[in-house]
Amino acid sequence: QVQLVESGGGLVLTGGSLSLSCAASRTIFSINTMGWYRQAPGKQRQLVASISSGGSTNYGDSVKGRFAVSRDNAENTIYLQMNSLKPEDTAVYYCKAMYRGYAYWGQGTQVTVSS
């Protein structure tokens, strides 16, 4: 099993930046893919960004060029740097790990972008 703990959410003004962290309970060398998803009220959960064990990244169309996902294998942590934030980025952000065919989710962290 994998436990994931997100941190770093909060309230920010439009155009501001936030950085999220997701700490895993086991070495992320063994985790195929980790990523960030978000869910706004009344909407489906959507991919924000993912990163493979080899470092390949994938981004949702709405965040390309503004967000960056990275991983620190020594710290068993992935990060999401969010720049040029918009009100439509407001959501609960969840960390996800794919490990041995199962999906594990963190508890989520709220990001609110105020205009």
Side-chain angles (χ1 to χ4, degrees), residues 37-54:
Y37 288 71
R38 67 187 182 188
Q39 187 166 21
K43 295 189 177 181
Q44 289 188 333
R45 195 170 293 190
Q46 63 177 192
L47 171 71
V48 176
S50 65
I51 185 165
S52 72
S53 56

Side-chain angles (χ1 to χ4, degrees), residues 8-93:
L11 174 64
V12 65
L13 294 176
T14 297
S17 298
L18 277 177
S19 180
L20 305 183
S21 300
C22 171
S25 61
R26 65 181 304 120
T27 174
I28 62 175
F29 274 120
S30 60
I31 299 176
N32 292 336
T33 302
M34 297 185 70
W36 293 95
Y37 288 71
R38 67 187 182 188
Q39 187 166 21
K43 295 189 177 181
Q44 289 188 333
R45 195 170 293 190
Q46 63 177 192
L47 171 71
V48 176
S50 65
I51 185 165
S52 72
S53 56
S56 297
T57 58
N58 185 40
Y59 293 93
D61 288 341
S62 62
V63 307
K64 286 180 180 176
R66 299 188 297 124
F67 291 11
V69 61
S70 61
R71 62 194 290 158
D72 185 335
N73 290 336
E75 296 294 328
N76 297 326
T77 299
I78 67 167
Y79 303 94
L80 183 69
Q81 178 64 42
M82 304 183 293
N83 300 322
S84 302
L85 283 161
K86 306 174 182 180
E88 50 264 42
D89 294 317
T90 295
V92 178
Y93 283 69

